[in-house]
Every structure is written in C-alpha cells, then in structure tokens.
C-alpha cells in the first residue's frame, strides 16, 4: 500500500504493449505506486511467466500495488485469430449473451478493437443460475487472479450507461442508450460483476475505468477509479466541459469509492510537454489521488518520469481544495511544500509568502530553477510545486503570527501560533493552519504582548524540543 504521508503518488497505466519481460521496462514500472498491467491468457516472454513479472516488480518495490486489466462490456468474436480471448466469444455464442439491434445484428460501440458489445442486463438469458457478469468474473479469476498475487482487479469501460442504442430488453425494438431504465439495468450488470469478483477475492482492491460513480448501483462499490484522459485529448472532459468539471468529477470519484479510494488522475500529452504535465499534476494534488501521465506517442506502453515525481511533499495539511485561493489560483498546503494551479485563461500572479523555493530540476529548468521565491506568476493552464526551505537558517522555527484571543472568562486567553516549520530532535514538523499549534493559558488580563510571545516560545521549546534561540517571529 502506498504511503499517503508522501506525495505525489504516481500511477502507471501499462496495459498496452506486453513487453513485460524487458527488465528496463520493469524498472520504469516499479517506480510508481500503482501499476495496471494487461496480460493475456498464457502470456510469456523470454521464458518469463506472469508470476515471474509480478515477482520482479515486487522485488524492486514491495509497496507497489499491481493490477490486471479486464473488461466486461465487450468481447472478441469466437473466430478472431488475433485474440487470446476467443473463449469469451464461444461462450457468448453458446448462451446468446451478445447485445443485438432490432434486426438481430450484433453491435459495436467502437470498431477500433474488433470487439462486440455484450448484454450484461437481466434481460439476457440466465444459464445454470448465472449470466455473463458472473461467468466472466469466474473465468477471469481462474485465468489471472487465482494463479497470481495481484493487488488490484481492474475493470475497463465502467460507463454509467450503454454506449450504443440496441435492443437491450429484447423486445424487438431498439432502446435509446439515454433511457434511464436501460442505463440502470446496464449499471446493475457491472455491479453484479464486481460483487462476484469480490466474493472470489474479498481482499483484493477493485478499480474501474469510470466516468460517474454517483449512482446507487455504483456508489461505494469499488475501491478506486481510473479517470481516463481528463486532460489532453479532443474528447477530454477539460476540453469539452472545462477544468471545473474535471475537479468536480475527481472529487466525486474520491467521494463515491470505498477506502482506500485509489483514484487515478490521467492526462495525455507529449512526453516533453512539461506545462501540461504540471497542469495535470497540480490539479491532481488538490485531492489525494494518483497521477498518471500518458505519452500520446506510445499510449499505455511507457512510464514517463518527471522531476516533480521525485519531490517529497509529505502529507497534505489542507483538506482537498474546492475553491480558488487567490486571484483565481488554487492552492493546497503540504507538510514540505505548496501546490499551485492556475486554471484560468490568463497569467496570474500570487504571493505565497516567505520560506519557499522552486524545486531544482533538469527538465524545465526555467520553471524548476531551485531559486527562492515568494511571488509566482503562473501561466494560464499551468501549475507549480514549491518546496519549503529546510536547510541552514530555514531549519529553525518560523512563526508567521501569534494572536491573542480573549476567552469567555476574562482572565483566560488562548494563544494561536501559525508556524511554517519546526525542526525537532525527531525530525521536521510542519504547520499550515492557524489552529495547528494552539494552547490556552490563564494570565492576568493586562498581560503584555511581549510576555505572551515569551510564553509562546516556551511552549514551542517544551512541546517540540526546540531551542528558544531557534525561534524567531516574522510578524507579530
């Protein structure tokens, strides 16, 4: 399980080319926190088996969560000589589980993959007490999940409604894909599939390539969601509905998944489009998901790596950001840094205050120069990660402000200390919210502010083993 006290979290979607026998490729994959692979039944490469690949990955990164790709809603023809999954087609032929139009023809939501759509609703005939949703879960369990120790069962194409009009209820008339009764029956078919999968592997995480998980059939049924191409393609949500819709879908996926909410935030772009990568990554860091950047030149067959991935932001201090912080820019504070993203149509300048520096990178060195900064000009659709300074003078206690608030009893005040960083004998502690360090003391009502300051220093010294000489006030 990835340590969620150390962000960013990275996801590798690598179900494209199956060259998992290449050790260099395994090295790339193992750097991520989640990896979704796409084996086919009987896969082998240079003498390696599926089990060997998983063992190699785990030896490199024991905390890596590894998933296997599966798909419910479509299947290849039984006679497709290019597919290793023709057993699905034979079963669908035998049990008459294909979805057909009113003329009796099989339908395809897309012809790109040479597959035909499956009727996963209860209108399809029941055979031996099950339908395709249950049969496929058992088949995939036998092919992939019983023989190997995967962590994640990945389900592709978790649409919230069918992608095509067809005779879904088998009454001889085509049904609109927008019909809510048809859509609910379709979602129920997915839910039955997941239920069967979970009964077979109750300790495995279930993750779907999903759009909307808020329906009663989908909500809190999966442990995670892959939000494919939120940014970067002609059909991406950011392109068609705007950045705010991206943030809303992301937030909804976190809300409607079971713990540990393994939500992948996917962006497509050129591998050297550092601005687009930052735009996506900083948006992802506004919540607690896993970032996945896909190189459009090779698709899901590589793991592009960026300077920002190697930054240790620590854990988030702020809750997920749902509203702009300053001048249209969104911000989220972390223990060891801050994340900023500008989703607007113009350049925006914001003041982040003292104690921050750009990360030092080797890719986009104009942005990641390592320089100290307190003011940032962010281009439209760009973002940045700033680190808290933690060396030399900057390792001492920085107190932004101390305020005294009168309590209900006249002789009692509460002292609030907003701190940037505290270097203790046990390591660095960071505080971002005014109430992160607070305590109450009883003092005479006329106590001078200088005395309050001394008490604050004494408290920090006692509570965090900080030398009094290492405490200085930026403002008071």
């Amino acid at each position: 399980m990835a340590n969620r006290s150390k962000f960013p979290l990275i996801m590798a979607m690598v179900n494209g080319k199956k060259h998992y026998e290449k050790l260099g490729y395994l090295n790339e994959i193992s750097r991520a926190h989640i990896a979704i692979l796409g084996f086919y039944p009987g896969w082998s490469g240079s003498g390696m088996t599926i089990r060997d690949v998983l063992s190699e990955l785990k030896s490199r990164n024991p905390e890596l969560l590894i998933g296997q790709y599966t798909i419910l809603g479509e299947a290849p023809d039984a006679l497709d000589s290019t597919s290793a999954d023709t057993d699905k087609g034979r079963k669908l032929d035998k049990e008459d589980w294909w979805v057909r139009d009113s003329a009796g023809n099989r339908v395809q939501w897309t012809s790109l993959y040479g597959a035909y759509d499956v009727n996963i609703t209860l209108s399809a005939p029941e055979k031996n007490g099950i339908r395709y949703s249950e049969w496929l879960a058992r088949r995939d369990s036998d092919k992939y999940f019983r023989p190997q120790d995967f962590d994640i069962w990945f389900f592709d194409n978790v649409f919230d409604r069918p992608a095509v009009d067809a005779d879904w209820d088998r009454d001889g008339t085509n049904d609109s894909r927008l019909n809510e009764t048809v859509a609910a029956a379709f979602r129920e078919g997915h839910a039955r599939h997941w239920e069967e999968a979970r009964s077979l592997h109750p300790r495995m995480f279930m993750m779907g390539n999903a759009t909307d998980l808020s329906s009663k059939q989908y909500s809190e049924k999966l442990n995670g969601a892959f939000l494919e191409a939120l940014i970067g393609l002609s059909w991406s949500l950011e392109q068609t509905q705007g950045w705010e819709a991206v943030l809303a879908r992301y937030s909804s996926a976190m809300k409607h998944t079971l713990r540990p909410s393994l939500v992948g935030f996917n962006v497509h772009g050129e591998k050297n489009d550092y601005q687009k990568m930052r735009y996506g990554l900083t948006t992802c860091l506004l919540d607690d998901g896993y970032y996945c950047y896909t190189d459009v030149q090779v698709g899901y067959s590589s793991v592009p790596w960026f300077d920002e991935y190697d930054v240790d932001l620590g854990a988030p201090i702020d809750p997920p950001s749902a509203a702009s912080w300053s001048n249209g820019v969104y911000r989220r504070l972390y223990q060891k840094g801050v994340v900023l993203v500008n989703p607007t149509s113009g350049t925006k300048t914001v003041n982040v205050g003292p104690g921050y520096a750009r990360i030092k990178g080797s890719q986009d060195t104009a942005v990641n120069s390592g320089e100290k900064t307190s003011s940032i000009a962010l281009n439209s659709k760009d973002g940045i990660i700033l680190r808290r300074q933690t060396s030399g003078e900057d390792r001492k206690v920085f107190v932004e402000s101390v305020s005294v608030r009168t309590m209900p009893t006249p002789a009692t005040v509460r002292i609030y200390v907003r701190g940037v960083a505290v270097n203790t004998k046990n390591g660095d502690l960071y505080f971002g919210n005014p109430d992160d360090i607070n305590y109450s003391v009883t003092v005479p009502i006329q106590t001078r502010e200088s005395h309050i300051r001394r008490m604050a220093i004494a408290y920090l010294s006692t509570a965090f083993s900080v030398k009094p000489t290492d405490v200085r006030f930026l403002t008071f």
Side-chain angles (χ1 to χ4, degrees):
M1 174 66 67
N3 182 356
R4 277 188 160 164
S5 65
K6 185 177 180 180
F7 281 73
L9 301 171
I10 306 305
M11 178 175 178
M13 178 57 72
V14 285
N15 66 321
K17 293 183 178 180
K18 321 297 183 187
H19 45 262
Y20 305 122
E21 75 281 1
K22 296 183 178 181
L23 299 185
Y25 191 35
L26 296 184
N27 289 337
E28 292 179 22
I29 295 171
S30 66
R31 298 178 75 181
H33 299 94
I34 293 176
I36 305 300
L37 283 62
F39 295 105
Y40 53 80
W43 180 94
S44 65
S46 300
M48 292 182 67
T49 65
I50 297 176
R51 180 178 288 275
D52 293 334
V53 171
L54 269 58
S55 178
E56 287 283 345
L57 288 171
K58 289 289 189 178
S59 69
R60 289 164 169 77
N61 181 0
E63 294 188 356
L64 175 64
L65 296 178
I66 306 174
Q68 165 63 25
Y69 172 98
T70 66
I71 186 167
L72 172 67
E74 63 188 66
D77 186 86
L79 300 179
D80 185 349
S81 61
T82 66
S83 174
D85 290 320
T86 53
D87 61 313
K88 296 182 186 179
R90 292 193 296 272
K91 184 65 174 179
L92 287 158
D93 285 344
K94 179 181 177 182
E95 309 298 358
D96 190 24
W97 282 336
W98 297 107
V99 64
R100 301 179 184 275
D101 61 20
S102 58
N105 300 311
R106 292 184 301 180
V107 299
Q108 295 175 297
W109 78 276
T110 177
S111 60
L112 289 177
Y113 311 112
Y116 296 86
D117 288 30
V118 178
N119 194 334
I120 61 174
T121 75
L122 292 177
S123 296
E126 184 180 64
K127 298 297 175 72
N128 299 318
I130 63 172
R131 291 178 174 83
Y132 186 69
S133 294
E134 292 83 10
W135 176 86
L136 184 65
R138 298 175 188 182
R139 178 262 190 193
D140 287 345
S141 175
D142 291 339
K143 296 284 186 182
Y144 302 119
F145 301 109
R146 288 194 188 281
Q148 285 83 216
D149 294 325
F150 285 100
D151 304 294
I152 297 171
W153 190 326
F154 183 87
F155 309 97
D156 197 9
N157 290 358
V158 179
F159 303 139
D160 64 334
R161 61 189 62 251
V164 292
D165 296 344
D167 184 14
W168 289 95
D169 59 8
R170 298 199 167 196
D171 65 354
T173 303
N174 284 341
D175 304 299
S176 170
R177 58 177 293 273
L178 301 178
N179 182 293
E180 183 51 38
T181 299
V182 171
F186 178 83
R187 293 192 295 268
E188 184 58 38
H190 278 286
R192 294 198 319 276
H193 184 54
W194 307 334
E195 183 179 6
E196 184 70 16
R198 199 176 293 280
S199 72
L200 296 167
H201 298 274
R203 302 182 70 177
M204 190 174 293
F205 296 130
M206 306 288 163
M207 172 185 266
N209 181 357
T211 52
D212 182 3
L213 294 176
S214 64
S215 67
K216 68 177 183 179
Q217 293 88 5
Y218 285 177
S219 182
E220 298 188 348
K221 298 297 194 304
L222 295 171
N223 301 101
F226 181 66
L227 306 180
E228 185 173 21
L230 287 172
I231 297 171
L233 298 180
S234 61
W235 51 267
S236 293
L237 189 63
E238 193 262 355
Q239 177 74 16
T240 59
Q241 298 184 37
W243 182 87
E244 290 77 10
V246 169
L247 194 63
R249 179 170 294 180
Y250 181 27
S251 176
S252 177
M254 296 296 296
K255 176 181 177 181
H256 291 286
T257 48
L258 295 167
R259 293 174 67 92
S261 294
L262 308 174
V263 174
F265 188 108
N266 181 231
V267 173
H268 286 237
E270 299 291 341
K271 66 179 180 181
N272 61 351
D273 190 341
Y274 302 122
Q275 179 173 334
K276 182 177 289 183
M277 186 284 301
R278 289 193 302 269
Y279 181 44
L281 175 60
T282 51
T283 302
C284 178
L285 285 166
L286 295 180
D287 212 312
D288 297 339
Y290 293 72
Y291 188 58
C292 176
Y293 189 88
T294 299
D295 178 357
V296 292
Q297 297 300 323
V298 296
Y300 296 137
S301 300
S302 73
V303 188
W305 204 261
F306 303 95
D307 292 332
E308 285 82 355
Y309 289 8
D310 293 317
V311 174
D312 177 10
L313 282 170
I317 293 173
D318 288 340
S321 181
S324 65
W325 159 67
S326 176
N327 203 19
V329 172
Y330 285 65
R331 180 190 76 167
R332 195 180 192 196
L333 293 172
Y334 282 76
Q335 289 174 323
K336 301 180 183 181
V338 64
V339 169
L340 304 170
V341 59
N342 174 17
T344 74
S345 58
T347 299
K348 301 293 183 179
T349 300
V350 293
N351 192 310
V352 295
Y356 290 103
R358 296 169 182 265
I359 70 170
K360 181 68 173 176
S362 61
Q363 292 171 329
D364 193 345
T365 54
V367 173
N368 296 328
S369 61
E371 297 175 348
K372 295 181 181 181
T373 186
S374 60
S375 180
I376 293 289
L378 279 176
N379 291 329
S380 170
K381 298 186 178 183
D382 200 356
I384 195 168
I385 292 175
L386 301 177
R387 62 177 180 83
R388 293 192 190 277
Q389 296 170 278
T390 57
S391 60
E393 173 73 5
D394 299 310
R395 293 185 63 83
K396 296 181 180 181
V397 177
F398 290 87
V399 180
E400 292 180 356
S401 63
V402 176
S403 61
V404 181
R405 303 180 187 179
T406 303
M407 299 298 287
T409 38
T412 302
V413 298
R414 177 167 291 167
I415 300 172
Y416 293 82
V417 181
R418 180 184 173 108
V420 175
V422 177
N423 179 43
T424 76
K425 62 183 180 181
N426 295 320
D428 289 337
L429 298 177
Y430 297 87
F431 304 94
N433 295 321
D435 293 350
D436 280 340
I437 314 175
N438 69 80
Y439 63 107
S440 297
V441 291
T442 300
V443 296
I445 194 62
Q446 300 298 324
T447 299
R448 295 174 179 270
E449 287 188 350
S450 59
H451 182 58
I452 300 293
R453 184 187 303 198
R454 287 195 296 273
M455 286 193 297
I457 292 174
Y459 170 74
L460 290 169
S461 301
T462 302
F464 301 110
S465 302
V466 175
K467 295 179 181 178
T469 55
D470 284 345
V471 179
R472 66 183 178 89
F473 292 78
L474 299 182
T475 61
F476 186 71

